[in-house]
């Protein structure tokens, strides 16, 4: 490692970790079998983690373990116990999403480095500044973060980590509820079902189809390649390659490719081989200005391999194929049939570049269609051989003194690490046959099964006698002592303590209304409301004029993503308009908007009482908990906190925030109209462009008929969200008001509405 950067590789299993280390990684990140956001990866058991840390540290490679899922109350203490285990085995840092767990670690293990996961959606200077203040040593920035913002963040002391290669999420990480709202599988819990890799068609504001079906939410893979130097120049220290789900050969080749780039070697062949291993086409990323067709893999969401040839014509036995690359037996080839469906075969033949081959098959293949190679058997064999041949043991020097009348003393040295040991007994002179000098050196040199290779032995000795078994024991003890020095295991410094949190005054229960346009306030009986939340276009003088006689609290709702310039603009606007109350939806906003009375929005993903108490003690007296929480989880939190909890009881929930606009793929101009993405089951998800593109649930949440049950969970603020012109805010407020008093019976129509997660929770 040069000191200017760190090349950080993924490891979903031990073979991938070994591949990364042998390819030259400076650090690896991985997940254990517990609390990891990549639950589909093989991941590491506790025994495997112990071995992984030893293997890496003995090769001067750091290990970061991801605990980057949201934790429910029942899991937090178990997660901390797991953290203690990771601390003891010498893990270098943790990648964390949950603020409650982070606070607990800061209090009890203050020297354990914490990296803020990209799941925290930190994208700005103010976000990184807050992380630095609360004790994080590194921020993993949102993939969308532009170079100009990175340059500002680099002025802080916190380290910057950024992705340079691999799969992309279309939504800001941590801000996607689409998978959980469709099927209950939460990306925030490591169970994302990848709704972004499905086909959709686009409907206009009148719900007329204006496109063919395509993968409108499926981005290409990030590939910065030589432009990685722009990130380093901007201040990025840790260069992260995505891929905990990828196989070892991919991990090895990705590391090798970027090592060659960073060290100034020709990487053209490496890039070709990495492309063969996995690609959806590459994008330089949103931060570099790619968008629309340059950013999206809208024709296919999966690995596309490389072009291999073309089907020329049908023959009596099958088809004549002209190949543009060499084909080996066992290559995974993809064909297109006469109905435009793909199928794959493992090549039972070999063919030379620019040759033709008659392929015998009974399948109907489309004439003039492209043949693609998804896997090269020769490349896999080549990489496996390289990994196998690479030696990665540490150099070892031994200095030994075997002098009569003294204890045997030995120094084992590897790099800057040293370990000293002595024999238990004083050495005696030999009465008959002394142990020969050559024999001592021979036995000390038997390090073959250890993690070291011997460079030299310096020996000072007299004519002494020592049993060979004692000599071997000294060697084993010395190697073990040196290994322990390098691996850096630790002991828990003190008994666990739980922090005492401040109590917050409880508000009387009440209704809250959120609107995104002033016109949605029309005819609303404001006397029935405790709070009004103004979002996007509704943050205006017109709205405030309409609400001038409102006795409750008026909040401006901040969007979950702002960059520094945008933050400054919205801050000035709110001050000019005279707002006193603000809902924040990103951790970075707590510092920038600290002079306002704050409400914690649901985009902050508060999922347990520890995180809630952290917020109550430091920033706010009211919280909208994560919309992924069920009623029982809310009730558990309510018993352990002193503060005010809010829940959406009506409204379309935002399930994605993204820089990408699907309309760009149709080359339509961005406008303020509502469009829809229709999935394969007919569900229609509205999306609109505010500061960024926001996608909403296909059906509104409807809990108005069970408000008193929701109240029994501990909720005392009930929010109605109105963002679309077909919704009648006045009617909804009247219905909710009567429901709270128990004066009306409402009918829940499952064809029109959804319960969200209030009953079913998430996986």
């Amino acid at each position: 490692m040069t000191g200017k950067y760190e090349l950080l590789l993924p490891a979903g299993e031990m073979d991938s970790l070994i591949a990364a280390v042998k390819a030259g990684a400076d650090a690896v990140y991985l997940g254990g079998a517990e609390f990891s956001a990549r639950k589909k990866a093989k991941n590491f058991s506790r025994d495997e983690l112990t071995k992984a840390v030893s293997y890496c540290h003995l090769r001067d490679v750091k290990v970061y373990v991801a605990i980057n899922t949201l934790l429910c109350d029942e899991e937090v203490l178990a997660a901390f116990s797991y953290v203690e285990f990771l601390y003891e085995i010498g893990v270098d840092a943790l990648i964390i999403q949950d603020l409650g767990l982070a606070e607990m670690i800061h209090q009890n293990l203050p020297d354990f480095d914490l990296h803020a996961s990209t799941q925290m959606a930190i994208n700005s200077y103010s976000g990184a500044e807050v992380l630095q203040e609360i004790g994080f040593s590194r921020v993993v920035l949102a993939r969308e973060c532009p170079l100009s913002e990175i340059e500002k963040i680099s002025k802080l002391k916190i380290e910057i980590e950024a992705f340079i290669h691999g799969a992309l999420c279309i939504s800001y990480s941590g801000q996607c509820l689409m998978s959980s709202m469709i099927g209950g599988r939460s990306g925030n819990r490591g169970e994302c079902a990848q709704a972004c890799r499905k086909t959709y068609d686009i409907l206009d504001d009148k719900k007329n189809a204006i496109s063919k079906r395509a993968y409108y939410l499926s981005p290409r893979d990030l590939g910065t390649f030589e432009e990685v130097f722009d990130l380093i120049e901007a201040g990025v220290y840790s260069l992260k390659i995505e891929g905990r789900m990828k196989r070892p050969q991919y991990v090895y080749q990705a590391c090798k490719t970027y090592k060659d780039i960073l060290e100034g070697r020709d990487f053209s062949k490496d890039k070709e081989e990495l492309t063969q291993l996995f690609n959806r086409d590459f994008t330089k990323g949103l931060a570099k200005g790619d968008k629309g067709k340059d950013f999206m893999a809208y024709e296919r969401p999966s690995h596309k391999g490389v072009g291999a040839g073309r089907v020329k014509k049908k023959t009596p036995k099958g088809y004549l194929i002209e190949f543009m690359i060499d084909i080996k037996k066992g290559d995974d080839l993809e064909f297109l049939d006469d109905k435009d469906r793909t199928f794959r075969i493992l090549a039972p033949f070999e063919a030379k570049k620019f040759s033709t081959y008659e392929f015998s098959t009974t399948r109907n293949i489309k004439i003039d269609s492209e043949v693609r190679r998804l896997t090269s058997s020769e490349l896999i064999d080549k990489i496996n051989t390289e990994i196998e041949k690479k030696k990665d043991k540490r150099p070892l020097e031994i200095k030994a003194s075997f002098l009569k009348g003294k204890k045997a003393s030995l120094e084992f040295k590897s790099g800057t690490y040293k370990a000293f040991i002595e024999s238990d007994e004083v050495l005696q002179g030999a009465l008959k046959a002394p142990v020969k000098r050559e024999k001592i050196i021979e036995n000390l040199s038997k390090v073959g099964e250890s993690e070291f290779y011997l460079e030299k032995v310096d020996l000072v000795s007299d004519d002494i006698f020592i049993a060979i078994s004692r000599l071997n024991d000294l060697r084993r003890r010395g190697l073990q002592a040196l290994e322990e020095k390098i691996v850096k295991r630790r002991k828990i410094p003190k008994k666990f303590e739980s922090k005492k949190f401040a109590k917050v005054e409880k508000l009387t229960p009440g209704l809250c209304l959120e609107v995104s346009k002033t016109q949605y306030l029309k005819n609303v009986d404001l006397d029935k409301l405790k709070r009004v939340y103004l979002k996007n276009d509704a943050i205006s003088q017109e709205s405030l004029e309409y609400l001038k006689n409102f006795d409750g609290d008026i909040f401006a709702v901040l969007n979950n993503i702002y960059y520094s310039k945008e933050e400054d603009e919205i801050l000035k606007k709110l001050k000019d308009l005279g707002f006193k109350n603000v809902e924040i939806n990103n951790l970075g906003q707590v510092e920038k908007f600290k002079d306002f009375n704050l409400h914690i929005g649901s985009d902050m993903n508060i999922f347990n009482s520890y995180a809630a108490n952290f917020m109550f003690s430091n920033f706010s007296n009211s919280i909208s908990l994560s919309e992924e929480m069920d009623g029982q989880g809310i009730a558990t939190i309510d018993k352990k906190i002193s503060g005010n909890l809010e829940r959406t009881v009506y409204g379309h929930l935002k399930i994605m925030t993204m820089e990408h606009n699907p309309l760009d793929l149709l080359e339509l101009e961005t406008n303020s109209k509502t469009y829809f993405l229709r999935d394969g089951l007919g569900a229609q998800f509205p999306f609109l462009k505010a500061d960024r593109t926001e996608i909403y649930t296909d059906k509104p949440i409807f809990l108005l008929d069970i408000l008193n049950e929701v109240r029994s969970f501990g909720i005392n603020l009930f929010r109605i969200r109105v963002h679309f012109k077909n919704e009648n805010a006045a009617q909804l407020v009247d219905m909710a008001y009567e429901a709270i008093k128990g004066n009306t019976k409402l009918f829940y129509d499952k064809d029109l509405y959804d319960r969200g997660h209030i009953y079913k929770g998430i996986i």
Side-chain angles (χ1 to χ4, degrees):
M1 191 165 67
T2 66
K4 294 181 179 179
Y5 61 81
E6 166 190 88
L7 189 55
L8 176 59
L9 270 292
E13 57 176 312
M14 194 65 184
D15 286 345
S16 293
L17 181 142
I18 292 170
V21 172
K22 287 194 172 185
D26 298 310
V28 296
Y29 66 100
L30 50 89
E34 306 159 70
F35 313 113
S36 169
R38 288 291 181 270
K39 289 189 177 179
K40 293 177 185 176
K42 289 184 180 179
N43 290 319
F44 292 74
S45 67
R46 292 197 177 201
D47 183 56
E48 288 170 331
L49 280 168
T50 303
K51 292 176 181 177
V53 172
S54 295
Y55 179 87
C56 288
H57 283 184
L58 285 165
R59 291 153 181 84
D60 295 324
V61 174
K62 291 184 177 182
V63 179
Y64 310 139
V65 174
I67 310 181
N68 55 341
T69 61
L70 296 179
L71 304 170
C72 62
D73 262 76
E74 293 78 7
E75 295 171 321
V76 174
L77 292 180
F80 184 76
S81 176
Y82 180 56
V83 166
E84 289 183 314
F85 160 73
L86 298 175
Y87 180 87
E88 288 180 311
I89 66 172
V91 167
D92 295 282
L94 300 175
I95 305 168
I96 297 286
Q97 178 183 14
D98 193 282
L99 285 170
L101 180 63
E103 173 73 6
M104 193 176 290
I105 296 168
H106 285 318
Q107 183 183 1
N108 291 279
L109 301 170
D111 61 333
F112 208 166
D113 280 350
L114 296 186
H115 298 174
S117 169
T118 190
Q119 289 290 112
M120 292 180 74
I122 301 300
N123 67 295
S124 67
Y125 177 93
S126 58
E129 184 178 33
V130 172
L131 288 174
Q132 179 176 286
E133 289 174 357
I134 63 177
F136 282 82
S137 61
R138 179 182 293 185
V139 55
V140 186
L141 289 176
R143 293 169 174 88
E144 297 84 351
C145 193
L147 291 176
S148 58
E149 195 74 29
I150 294 173
E151 289 171 355
K152 292 178 183 177
I153 296 169
S154 69
K155 294 178 173 59
L156 298 168
K157 294 180 180 179
I158 194 168
E159 287 181 350
I160 300 173
E161 179 177 306
F163 286 91
I164 62 169
H165 195 93
L168 293 168
C169 292
I170 192 63
S171 174
Y172 276 86
S173 293
Q175 300 299 298
C176 181
L177 306 184
M178 197 162 188
S179 175
S180 77
M181 288 298 173
I182 291 174
R185 294 172 58 182
S186 171
N188 284 316
R189 297 275 290 169
E191 293 286 356
C192 179
Q194 294 199 312
C196 56
R197 302 295 183 187
K198 309 295 184 185
T199 58
Y200 300 87
D201 54 2
I202 299 176
L203 313 181
D204 64 15
D205 58 336
K206 296 180 177 59
K207 297 193 175 181
N208 297 313
I210 58 173
S211 76
K212 64 179 183 179
R213 295 196 70 77
Y215 299 93
Y216 292 110
L217 299 179
S218 177
R220 297 183 180 194
D221 286 349
L222 179 64
T224 58
F225 297 109
E226 63 267 41
E227 296 194 21
V228 69
F229 292 107
D230 293 339
L231 289 168
I232 296 172
E233 183 68 24
V236 173
Y237 170 67
S238 185
L239 308 170
K240 186 172 194 173
I241 294 174
E242 181 276 338
R244 278 199 279 153
M245 299 289 291
K246 298 291 197 303
R247 55 189 174 181
Q249 296 85 0
Y250 173 90
V251 173
Y252 179 88
Q253 188 61 38
C255 185
K256 184 170 178 284
T257 300
Y258 279 91
K259 285 285 284 187
D260 283 347
I261 292 170
L262 291 164
E263 294 174 8
R265 294 186 290 272
D266 177 51
F267 66 94
S268 54
K269 182 65 174 177
D270 288 321
K271 184 177 179 180
E272 287 178 13
E273 293 178 343
L274 183 56
T275 301
Q276 173 66 84
L277 287 164
F278 196 93
N279 81 93
R280 297 182 179 94
D281 280 334
F282 292 113
T283 171
K284 296 174 184 176
L286 291 163
K288 296 292 288 185
D290 279 358
K291 67 176 186 176
K293 293 179 180 179
D294 293 330
F295 181 67
M296 301 299 291
Y298 59 94
E299 293 182 335
R300 66 184 291 166
S302 56
H303 173 46
K304 65 181 295 184
V306 299
R310 190 161 292 277
V311 180
K312 302 302 290 183
K313 65 179 181 179
K314 188 171 177 56
T315 67
K317 293 182 180 180
Y319 294 86
L320 190 68
I321 303 170
E322 182 179 26
F323 284 105
M324 308 307 294
I325 59 175
D326 290 334
I327 300 298
K328 301 293 184 181
K329 284 185 179 180
D331 283 358
D332 186 356
L333 301 180
E334 180 184 80
F335 294 85
L336 194 66
D337 70 14
D338 57 354
K339 294 183 179 178
D340 289 333
R341 297 173 303 193
T342 59
F343 69 93
R344 294 161 63 175
I345 66 159
L346 294 180
F349 57 84
E350 293 195 356
K352 293 291 186 181
K353 183 178 181 180
F354 301 135
S355 69
T356 56
Y357 180 85
E358 187 176 16
F359 173 47
S360 298
T361 181
T362 58
R363 301 287 294 262
N364 293 320
I365 302 178
K366 188 173 184 177
I367 303 300
D368 200 37
S369 63
E370 186 180 38
V371 181
R372 301 195 68 81
R373 184 175 66 190
L374 301 185
T375 303
S376 165
S377 59
E378 184 178 51
L379 177 58
I380 296 296
D381 290 343
K382 173 194 167 191
I383 294 173
N384 287 341
T385 300
E386 285 186 21
I387 294 172
E388 182 66 28
K389 285 184 176 180
K390 284 219 173 185
K391 305 299 181 185
D392 61 347
K393 291 190 174 186
R394 291 185 68 96
L396 173 67
E397 297 179 12
I398 301 175
K399 291 183 179 179
S401 175
F402 287 77
L403 299 176
K404 184 170 56 178
K406 295 183 179 181
K407 292 183 178 182
S409 64
L410 297 93
E411 175 191 282
F412 289 74
K413 180 184 177 185
S414 181
T416 59
Y417 296 97
K418 296 179 181 179
F420 300 90
I421 62 164
E422 288 184 328
S423 61
D424 294 330
E425 66 284 334
V426 172
L427 298 176
Q428 302 297 320
L431 297 177
K432 294 183 179 179
V435 178
K436 293 183 178 180
R437 172 186 176 85
E438 291 77 11
K439 187 63 176 176
I440 295 175
I441 293 175
E442 177 187 341
N443 279 270
L444 291 180
S445 300
K446 293 179 179 180
V447 298
E449 294 184 3
S450 73
E451 299 289 352
F452 304 92
Y453 68 89
L454 188 66
E455 286 194 328
K456 66 176 181 177
V457 177
D458 289 336
L459 175 64
V460 177
S461 64
D462 289 335
D463 290 339
I464 52 93
F465 174 78
I466 184 170
I468 298 301
S469 60
R470 294 283 190 186
L471 201 55
N472 291 337
D473 181 60
L474 286 171
R475 183 192 70 243
R476 284 191 292 267
R477 283 171 51 201
L479 291 173
Q480 182 179 353
L482 181 60
E483 187 170 322
E484 288 174 356
K485 289 254 186 180
I486 298 169
V487 172
K488 301 174 186 173
R489 304 207 191 283
R490 296 172 289 205
K491 292 184 178 180
I492 301 298
K494 61 181 180 178
K495 187 177 179 181
F496 171 76
E497 294 180 7
S498 183
K499 185 174 181 178
K500 304 295 182 183
F501 291 99
K503 291 187 176 182
V504 176
E505 180 184 356
K506 198 82 167 177
L507 301 174
T508 57
L511 284 177
C512 309
L513 174 65
E514 175 186 313
V515 297
S516 55
K517 293 183 183 295
T518 305
Q519 66 200 57
Y520 298 155
L521 291 170
K522 186 177 180 180
N523 298 324
V524 172
D525 187 345
L526 298 176
D527 291 336
K528 295 177 179 178
L529 297 174
K530 192 175 192 69
R531 290 180 174 182
V532 171
Y533 293 95
L534 302 177
K535 178 179 169 69
N536 294 336
D537 293 346
I539 301 175
S540 66
Q541 186 62 52
E542 182 185 3
S543 294
L544 294 178
E545 183 65 26
Y546 192 91
L547 295 168
K548 63 183 179 181
N549 295 321
F550 177 53
D551 290 333
D553 294 320
I554 303 170
F555 282 77
V557 178
L558 298 182
N559 290 324
N560 50 354
I561 302 296
Y562 293 112
Y563 290 95
S564 291
K565 182 180 178 182
E566 296 169 313
E567 279 182 338
D568 292 340
E569 289 171 351
I570 189 67
L571 177 61
K572 182 179 185 304
K573 181 178 181 179
L574 297 185
K575 286 183 175 180
D576 290 346
L577 289 171
F579 275 92
K580 294 181 174 60
N581 308 301
V582 168
E583 174 184 302
I584 62 170
N585 281 290
N586 188 294
L587 186 63
Q589 295 162 2
V590 299
E591 175 64 24
K592 198 89 168 186
F593 297 86
K594 62 184 178 182
D595 294 334
F596 296 86
N597 176 47
L598 300 180
H599 171 77
I600 307 300
S602 59
D603 287 341
M604 293 281 285
N605 288 326
I606 304 302
F607 209 75
N608 57 62
S609 63
Y610 301 89
N613 276 322
F614 175 75
M615 288 296 172
F616 285 137
S617 294
N618 294 285
F619 307 119
S620 177
N621 72 347
S622 61
I623 294 173
S624 292
L625 296 172
S626 165
E627 293 288 350
E628 293 187 308
M629 292 208 69
D630 62 15
Q632 290 184 339
I634 296 169
T636 299
I637 289 177
D638 183 58
K639 293 174 184 176
K640 299 179 181 179
I641 57 101
S642 173
N644 301 285
L645 302 179
E646 185 181 71
R647 182 72 172 206
T648 299
V649 294
Y650 174 87
H652 291 269
L653 297 180
K654 183 178 60 178
I655 53 176
M656 268 198 194
T657 302
M658 56 187 185
E659 295 291 341
H660 165 64
N661 187 342
L663 298 182
D664 290 341
L665 292 170
L666 305 183
E667 298 182 353
L668 294 177
E669 289 188 12
T670 298
N671 56 66
S672 60
K673 293 180 181 179
T674 299
Y675 290 81
F676 299 84
L677 287 165
R678 181 169 58 190
D679 70 10
L681 298 176
Q684 300 174 3
F685 301 92
F687 70 93
L688 49 84
K689 183 78 171 179
D691 292 320
R692 290 167 174 87
T693 302
E694 297 177 344
I695 303 178
Y696 289 81
T697 51
D698 61 322
K699 298 176 184 177
I701 301 299
F702 190 93
L703 307 180
L704 299 182
D705 59 319
I706 56 168
L707 278 189
N708 284 314
E709 183 179 359
V710 174
R711 183 175 177 178
S712 73
F713 296 141
I715 298 296
N716 63 325
L717 297 171
F718 309 93
R719 187 182 300 204
I720 296 168
R721 300 179 188 260
V722 176
H723 296 304
F724 302 101
K725 60 185 179 182
N726 64 333
E727 298 173 306
N728 189 321
Q731 185 181 33
L732 290 165
V733 169
D734 291 343
M735 290 165 59
Y737 188 76
E738 293 302 317
I740 286 180
K741 296 195 301 182
N743 293 341
T744 184
K745 290 185 178 180
L746 299 173
F747 175 69
Y748 171 73
D749 187 339
K750 66 179 182 180
D751 293 328
L752 297 177
Y753 305 116
D754 195 277
R755 291 297 196 197
H757 289 298
I758 198 69
Y759 289 138
K760 64 185 179 184
I762 54 175
I763 299 173

